[in-house]
Amino acid sequence: MRAQSGPDGRLGLQRAATEPSPVLPASGAFHPSPAGALAGIGSAAPPARGPVRPASRDEADILGPARQRQSILRHPWALLLAPAWFVLAALLLRAPSYIPSVIDPDEGLYILQAREWLRGGWPYVAVWDMHPVGAPALIAGALAVFGQTILAVRLLGALAVAATAFALYGLVRAAGGPRLLGLGAGLLYVGSSVMLGGLATNTEILFAPFVVAAMALGVRAAARLVREGAPPTWTQVAAAGLAIGLALTIKQVVVPEGCLVFALLAGPAWWRGVLPTGRALAMAAAYAALCAAPTAALGLAYAARGEFGAFVEGGILAPLRYAADPIEAVVAVRIVVGTTATLLLPFALAAAALAPRRGLRAEPRHGAAAQAAGGAVLTRIAAVWLAVATIAVALPGKFILHYFLIWLPPLSLLAALGARRLVHGVPLGRGALAFTGLLGAVALNAAASAAAPGLLYGLGLREADPPRKVAALIATELPPGEPIYVVNFHPVTYFLASAGLPTRFVFPDHLIGTVGGLTGSEADAELARVLASRPRFIVLDRGQWDDLRPEAAAMVSAALRASYTLFGTVPAEHGMVEVWRRR
């Protein structure tokens, strides 16, 4: 079996007449709602409740041909080839992230949490944040394995992207789609992940492998329903629930996608009468419990240390306060339009996948028509997934750029399906090449756009970037581990200078900015305590001085006049960064 154009000049897998295409069968007319789209898998109309026959042999062959399973057993190396390509592509296309010390300031906060955790200081207690502790946990693992460098964190991001791409590949294969389609979707995700601040090892990059793996399990369960007429297994429900549970320890916004995963697991089987209502409810309860289990385990661990209050405050109450103050609607619309324009090429390919289909038989069984029908069902799933991902993007009410990375897995799948449709008319023998070239061009264009600023302005190439310069200046006189205070510059400066922390509120906005109320503490009192400790160095970004609360600015200015002299300056993006040394 090899990828090439069929005798009609369309992209497909050349097969003998007796070997049907391993794709989901058509499910009748397009269902406009998520429930309808998922319930329609393998069923053109809602069946009568009660026992139903297993899928026909034709349907079973379409979703699980014996020859496909035998080829996997005969060539186990094929299972390793896809992840190897994804890892290589991620390492190469994300290479621009290896140079700068700062891509997104949130990443610097996670790095500090991870460093302190390796020293015994847990998140929320040693370093405060309003995100779950999953991202610092993964980064701590990377620092322990690869060494305590920025490069170690960026390598973690590359591996997470490769894992997400492989999960997308697995999702396509679970639906019976061809390997080339899975590879295209995965590689497009790798290329697109460098945009929208995605070069940073941020939460959206880190939870994506778990979410996409859970979605692949849902698709696999739907395929099993059509192939065998069988409901989802407890193993599938447990694995998917645990995957979403791990994603929830990284960021809570995965809740909508977690709900979609269970709808895909159990919804079609319940709709067709294969899964009794009682068992469906039991599976729902088990799934919800497994989703909550990792977070509950972390809560128990904090309670055992006597820090459960810090866990609840940072991981539950602060995010609720944050979401209670959304940005203005006009700003949200502007950001959505700008982000969509950034992803214009993937969206254009996705539109090709969603365009109305004509001339397709209602129940194709073999060959190119069966592949087209299977692609239609996979397109419906991806479209619903993209809609649910949009809910996840909007859930915090802030519309920050990297939130839109949640779009990328379903968008990459839709774009790959669209590219597959566009090359159907390519002459014989060139369909696979055209498909690969089209998606490769889109991915490389995204990667080039992310690398361009560094090449144009030389950030980190001709000379060290500003945080590294500031850290190097401080390190000339600072004993390792001694605290400094970074007022309103990048938190990663502490890490680069091997400096200690004067407070657990090291992210500027949490102490001297306008969102100090999120911390649940008295920001002015904590700032007064930090300044009274007289750290050896104080770092402030004069270009962002106006962003400080007036009370905080007055307190810092008074401390500088009383006890500090200007030690050096470093030019940065917004103006001069000043390093003040204690007299």
Coordinates of all heavy atoms in Angstrom, one line a residue, residues 219-273:
V219 N -12.2 9.6 19.0 CA -12.3 9.2 17.7 C -12.2 7.6 17.5 O -13.0 7.0 16.8 CB -11.3 9.9 16.8 CG1 -11.3 9.3 15.3 CG2 -11.6 11.4 16.7
R220 N -11.3 7.1 18.3 CA -11.1 5.6 18.2 C -12.4 4.9 18.7 O -12.8 3.9 18.1 CB -9.9 5.2 19.1 CG -9.6 3.7 19.0 CD -8.4 3.4 20.0 NE -8.1 2.0 20.0 CZ -7.2 1.5 19.1 NH1 -6.6 2.2 18.3 NH2 -6.9 0.2 19.2
A221 N -13.0 5.4 19.8 CA -14.2 4.8 20.3 C -15.3 4.9 19.2 O -16.1 4.0 19.1 CB -14.6 5.5 21.6
A222 N -15.4 6.1 18.6 CA -16.5 6.2 17.5 C -16.2 5.3 16.4 O -17.2 4.7 15.8 CB -16.5 7.7 17.0
A223 N -14.9 5.1 16.0 CA -14.6 4.1 14.9 C -15.0 2.7 15.3 O -15.5 1.9 14.5 CB -13.1 4.2 14.6
R224 N -14.7 2.4 16.6 CA -15.1 1.0 17.1 C -16.6 0.8 17.1 O -17.1 -0.3 16.8 CB -14.5 0.8 18.5 CG -14.8 -0.5 19.1 CD -14.0 -0.7 20.4 NE -14.2 -2.0 21.0 CZ -15.1 -2.2 22.0 NH1 -15.9 -1.2 22.4 NH2 -15.3 -3.5 22.5
L225 N -17.3 1.9 17.4 CA -18.8 1.8 17.3 C -19.3 1.4 15.9 O -20.1 0.5 15.7 CB -19.4 3.1 17.7 CG -20.9 3.3 17.5 CD1 -21.7 2.3 18.4 CD2 -21.4 4.7 17.7
V226 N -18.7 2.0 14.9 CA -19.1 1.8 13.5 C -18.6 0.4 13.1 O -19.3 -0.4 12.4 CB -18.6 2.9 12.6 CG1 -18.9 2.6 11.1 CG2 -19.2 4.2 13.0
R227 N -17.4 0.1 13.5 CA -16.8 -1.2 13.0 C -17.4 -2.4 13.6 O -17.7 -3.4 13.0 CB -15.3 -1.2 13.3 CG -14.5 -2.4 12.8 CD -13.0 -2.3 13.1 NE -12.8 -2.3 14.5 CZ -12.2 -1.3 15.2 NH1 -11.9 -0.2 14.5 NH2 -12.0 -1.4 16.5
E228 N -17.7 -2.3 14.9 CA -18.1 -3.5 15.7 C -19.5 -3.3 16.3 O -20.0 -4.3 16.9 CB -17.1 -3.8 16.8 CG -15.7 -4.1 16.2 CD -14.7 -4.2 17.4 OE1 -15.2 -4.4 18.5 OE2 -13.5 -4.2 17.1
G229 N -20.1 -2.1 16.2 CA -21.3 -1.9 16.9 C -21.2 -1.9 18.4 O -22.1 -2.2 19.2
A230 N -20.0 -1.6 18.9 CA -19.6 -1.8 20.3 C -19.5 -0.4 21.0 O -19.0 0.5 20.4 CB -18.3 -2.6 20.5
P231 N -19.9 -0.3 22.3 CA -19.8 1.0 23.0 C -18.3 1.2 23.4 O -17.5 0.3 23.3 CB -20.7 0.7 24.2 CG -20.6 -0.7 24.5 CD -20.5 -1.4 23.1
P232 N -18.0 2.4 23.9 CA -16.7 2.6 24.4 C -16.3 1.7 25.6 O -17.2 1.3 26.4 CB -16.7 4.1 24.9 CG -18.1 4.4 25.2 CD -18.9 3.5 24.2
T233 N -15.1 1.4 25.7 CA -14.6 0.5 26.8 C -14.3 1.4 28.0 O -14.0 2.6 27.9 CB -13.4 -0.3 26.4 OG1 -12.3 0.6 26.2 CG2 -13.6 -1.1 25.1
W234 N -14.3 0.8 29.2 CA -13.9 1.5 30.4 C -12.4 2.0 30.3 O -12.1 3.0 30.9 CB -14.1 0.6 31.6 CG -15.5 0.5 32.0 CD1 -16.4 -0.5 31.8 CD2 -16.3 1.5 32.7 NE1 -17.6 -0.2 32.3 CE2 -17.6 1.0 32.9 CE3 -16.0 2.7 33.3 CZ2 -18.6 1.7 33.6 CZ3 -17.0 3.4 34.0 CH2 -18.3 2.9 34.1
T235 N -11.6 1.2 29.6 CA -10.2 1.6 29.5 C -10.1 2.9 28.7 O -9.3 3.8 29.0 CB -9.4 0.5 28.8 OG1 -9.5 -0.7 29.5 CG2 -8.0 0.9 28.6
Q236 N -10.9 3.0 27.6 CA -10.9 4.2 26.8 C -11.3 5.4 27.6 O -10.7 6.5 27.6 CB -11.7 4.1 25.6 CG -11.1 3.1 24.5 CD -12.1 2.8 23.4 OE1 -13.3 2.8 23.6 NE2 -11.6 2.5 22.2
V237 N -12.4 5.2 28.4 CA -12.9 6.3 29.2 C -11.9 6.7 30.3 O -11.7 7.9 30.5 CB -14.2 5.9 29.9 CG1 -14.7 6.9 30.9 CG2 -15.3 5.7 28.8
A238 N -11.3 5.7 30.9 CA -10.3 6.0 32.0 C -9.1 6.7 31.4 O -8.6 7.7 32.0 CB -9.9 4.7 32.6
A239 N -8.6 6.3 30.2 CA -7.4 6.9 29.7 C -7.7 8.3 29.2 O -6.9 9.2 29.5 CB -6.9 6.1 28.5
A240 N -8.8 8.5 28.6 CA -9.2 9.9 28.2 C -9.4 10.8 29.4 O -9.0 12.0 29.4 CB -10.4 9.9 27.3
G241 N -10.1 10.3 30.4 CA -10.3 11.1 31.6 C -9.0 11.5 32.3 O -8.8 12.7 32.7
L242 N -8.1 10.6 32.4 CA -6.8 10.9 33.0 C -6.0 11.9 32.1 O -5.3 12.8 32.7 CB -6.0 9.6 33.2 CG -4.6 9.7 33.9 CD1 -4.9 10.3 35.3 CD2 -3.9 8.4 34.0
A243 N -6.0 11.8 30.8 CA -5.3 12.7 30.0 C -5.9 14.1 30.2 O -5.1 15.1 30.3 CB -5.5 12.3 28.5
I244 N -7.2 14.3 30.2 CA -7.8 15.6 30.4 C -7.5 16.1 31.8 O -7.2 17.3 32.1 CB -9.3 15.6 30.2 CG1 -9.6 15.3 28.7 CG2 -10.0 16.9 30.6 CD1 -9.1 16.4 27.8
G245 N -7.5 15.2 32.8 CA -7.1 15.5 34.2 C -5.7 16.1 34.3 O -5.5 17.1 35.0
L246 N -4.8 15.5 33.5 CA -3.4 16.0 33.5 C -3.4 17.4 32.8 O -2.6 18.3 33.3 CB -2.5 15.1 32.8 CG -2.2 13.7 33.6 CD1 -1.4 12.8 32.7 CD2 -1.5 14.0 34.9
A247 N -4.2 17.6 31.8 CA -4.2 18.9 31.1 C -4.8 19.9 32.0 O -4.3 21.1 32.0 CB -5.1 18.8 29.8
L248 N -5.7 19.6 32.9 CA -6.3 20.5 33.8 C -5.3 21.0 34.9 O -5.5 22.1 35.4 CB -7.6 19.9 34.5 CG -8.8 19.8 33.6 CD1 -9.9 18.9 34.3 CD2 -9.4 21.2 33.4
T249 N -4.3 20.2 35.1 CA -3.3 20.7 36.1 C -2.4 21.7 35.5 O -1.5 22.3 36.2 CB -2.5 19.5 36.6 OG1 -1.7 18.9 35.6 CG2 -3.3 18.4 37.2
I250 N -2.5 21.9 34.1 CA -1.7 22.9 33.4 C -2.5 24.2 33.2 O -2.0 25.3 33.5 CB -1.2 22.3 32.1 CG1 -0.3 21.1 32.4 CG2 -0.4 23.4 31.3 CD1 0.1 20.4 31.1
K251 N -3.8 24.0 32.9 CA -4.6 25.2 32.7 C -6.1 24.7 32.7 O -6.4 23.8 32.0 CB -4.3 26.0 31.5 CG -4.8 27.4 31.5 CD -4.1 28.3 30.4 CE -4.4 29.7 30.6 NZ -3.7 30.6 29.6
Q252 N -6.9 25.5 33.4 CA -8.3 25.1 33.5 C -9.2 25.3 32.2 O -10.3 24.8 32.1 CB -9.0 25.9 34.6 CG -8.3 25.7 36.0 CD -7.3 26.8 36.3 OE1 -6.7 27.4 35.4 NE2 -7.1 27.1 37.6
V253 N -8.7 26.0 31.2 CA -9.4 26.3 30.1 C -9.7 25.1 29.2 O -10.4 25.2 28.2 CB -8.8 27.4 29.2 CG1 -8.7 28.7 29.9 CG2 -7.4 27.0 28.8
V254 N -9.1 23.9 29.5 CA -9.4 22.7 28.7 C -10.7 22.1 29.0 O -11.1 21.1 28.4 CB -8.3 21.7 28.9 CG1 -6.9 22.3 28.6 CG2 -8.3 21.1 30.3
V255 N -11.5 22.7 30.0 CA -12.8 22.1 30.3 C -13.7 21.9 29.1 O -14.3 20.8 29.0 CB -13.5 22.9 31.4 CG1 -14.9 22.5 31.6 CG2 -12.7 22.8 32.8
P256 N -13.9 22.9 28.3 CA -14.8 22.7 27.1 C -14.3 21.5 26.2 O -15.1 20.7 25.8 CB -14.7 24.0 26.3 CG -14.4 25.0 27.4 CD -13.4 24.3 28.3
E257 N -13.0 21.4 26.0 CA -12.5 20.3 25.1 C -12.7 19.0 25.9 O -12.9 17.9 25.2 CB -11.1 20.6 24.7 CG -11.0 21.7 23.7 CD -9.5 22.0 23.4 OE1 -8.8 22.5 24.3 OE2 -9.1 21.7 22.2
G258 N -12.5 19.0 27.2 CA -12.7 17.8 28.0 C -14.2 17.3 27.8 O -14.4 16.1 27.7
C259 N -15.1 18.2 27.8 CA -16.5 17.8 27.6 C -16.7 17.2 26.2 O -17.5 16.2 26.1 CB -17.4 19.0 27.9 SG -17.4 19.7 29.5
L260 N -16.1 17.8 25.2 CA -16.2 17.3 23.9 C -15.7 15.9 23.8 O -16.2 15.0 23.1 CB -15.5 18.2 22.9 CG -15.4 17.8 21.5 CD1 -16.8 17.6 20.9 CD2 -14.5 18.7 20.6
V261 N -14.6 15.6 24.5 CA -14.0 14.3 24.4 C -15.0 13.2 24.9 O -15.2 12.2 24.3 CB -12.7 14.2 25.3 CG1 -12.3 12.8 25.5 CG2 -11.6 15.0 24.6
F262 N -15.7 13.5 26.0 CA -16.6 12.5 26.5 C -17.8 12.4 25.6 O -18.4 11.3 25.4 CB -17.1 12.9 27.9 CG -18.0 11.8 28.5 CD1 -17.4 10.6 29.0 CD2 -19.4 12.0 28.5 CE1 -18.2 9.6 29.5 CE2 -20.2 11.0 29.0 CZ -19.6 9.8 29.5
A263 N -18.2 13.6 25.0 CA -19.4 13.5 24.1 C -19.0 12.6 22.9 O -19.8 11.9 22.4 CB -19.7 14.9 23.6
L264 N -17.8 12.6 22.5 CA -17.3 11.8 21.3 C -17.2 10.4 21.8 O -17.5 9.4 21.0 CB -16.0 12.3 20.8 CG -15.5 11.8 19.5 CD1 -16.5 12.0 18.4 CD2 -14.2 12.5 19.1
L265 N -16.7 10.1 23.0 CA -16.6 8.8 23.5 C -18.0 8.1 23.6 O -18.1 7.0 23.1 CB -15.9 8.8 24.9 CG -14.4 8.9 25.0 CD1 -14.0 9.2 26.4 CD2 -13.8 7.6 24.5
A266 N -18.9 8.7 24.3 CA -20.1 8.1 24.6 C -21.4 8.5 23.8 O -22.3 7.8 23.7 CB -20.4 8.3 26.1
G267 N -21.3 9.7 23.3 CA -22.5 10.3 22.7 C -23.1 9.4 21.5 O -24.3 9.0 21.5
P268 N -22.2 9.1 20.5 CA -22.8 8.3 19.4 C -23.3 6.9 19.8 O -24.3 6.5 19.3 CB -21.6 8.2 18.4 CG -20.7 9.4 18.8 CD -20.9 9.6 20.2
A269 N -22.6 6.3 20.7 CA -23.0 5.0 21.2 C -24.3 5.0 21.9 O -25.2 4.2 21.8 CB -21.9 4.3 22.1
W270 N -24.5 6.1 22.8 CA -25.8 6.2 23.5 C -26.9 6.6 22.5 O -28.0 6.1 22.6 CB -25.7 7.4 24.5 CG -27.0 7.7 25.2 CD1 -27.5 7.0 26.2 CD2 -27.9 8.7 24.8 NE1 -28.7 7.6 26.6 CE2 -29.0 8.6 25.7 CE3 -27.9 9.7 23.9 CZ2 -30.0 9.5 25.7 CZ3 -29.0 10.6 23.8 CH2 -30.0 10.5 24.7
W271 N -26.6 7.4 21.5 CA -27.6 7.8 20.5 C -28.1 6.6 19.7 O -29.3 6.5 19.4 CB -26.9 8.8 19.6 CG -27.8 9.4 18.5 CD1 -27.9 9.1 17.2 CD2 -28.8 10.5 18.7 NE1 -28.9 9.8 16.6 CE2 -29.4 10.7 17.5 CE3 -29.2 11.3 19.8 CZ2 -30.4 11.7 17.3 CZ3 -30.1 12.2 19.6 CH2 -30.7 12.5 18.4
R272 N -27.2 5.7 19.4 CA -27.6 4.5 18.6 C -28.2 3.4 19.5 O -28.6 2.4 19.0 CB -26.4 4.0 17.9 CG -25.8 4.9 16.8 CD -24.7 4.3 16.0 NE -25.2 3.2 15.2 CZ -24.4 2.4 14.4 NH1 -23.1 2.7 14.4 NH2 -24.9 1.5 13.7
G273 N -28.3 3.6 20.8 CA -28.8 2.6 21.7 C -27.9 1.5 22.1 O -28.3 0.5 22.7

